[in-house]
Amino acid sequence: MQRGADGRYLPKHGMYQTRIYHIWEGMKARCDRPSCNGYEYYGAKGIRYCERWASFENFYEDMGVLYKEGLSLERIDTSNNYSPDNCKWVLLKDQSHNKTSNVLVTIEGLTYCLSQWRDKFGLTNSMVYKRYARGEVGYHLIRPKGAKLLEGSTYGIILEDCS
């Protein structure tokens, strides 16, 4: 086995300095190491990775072909473990919509986090969060910039699935 400049042994795959390798390491650390930042949300809650993914080579074989720079590993069902059938690559921005700390808002049966509503209707963070803090709901929360509060108004907004 070959040694790197720091004296540590280099893995056979030669990918130890790539982003996908660090994503794999992070996944394992969140599940295995109580000292890891985020362990309380993963390992402490029983989230694990499949036995096959204990090896980077196997993880790369399963997920590497779909990986592109800038993507993040996401579990499709956040109550289940990391495995080939429960993981996909997503943009970091999209993955952030699944955080448990998000504020979810339902309007006309559509539920999204505030940042998704903000992006969909071209609003600013301060607009939606201030409106939310004031207790505004429904169409009032996502009304266009400068629109006055009008009881019962939809402000001409047409809602559609924005996922």
Side-chain angles (χ1 to χ4, degrees), residues 127-143:
M127 287 166 106
V128 293
Y129 284 96
K130 284 179 183 176
R131 290 173 181 178
Y132 180 80
R134 287 193 302 255
E136 295 180 26
V137 296
Y139 290 100
H140 301 308
L141 185 67
I142 58 172
R143 71 184 185 277

Side-chain angles (χ1 to χ4, degrees), residues 2 4 12 16-17 32 48 66 68 77 94 106 112 118 120-122 124 127 129 135 138 158:
Q2 197 175 353
K12 286 185 269 187
Y16 81 105
Q17 289 184 321
D32 294 343
R48 302 285 180 254
L66 302 172
K68 296 197 178 11
D77 176 352
D94 294 335
T106 302
Y112 300 104
R118 175 203 66 208
K120 174 74 175 164
F121 294 102
T124 65
M127 287 166 106
Y129 284 96
I158 298 170

Side-chain angles (χ1 to χ4, degrees), residues 141-162:
L141 185 67
I142 58 172
R143 71 184 185 277
K145 181 180 179 179
K148 303 274 188 235
L149 266 175
L150 298 171
E151 196 56 43
S153 177
T154 64
Y155 305 95
I157 296 170
I158 298 170
L159 291 182
E160 56 191 48
D161 192 344
C162 63

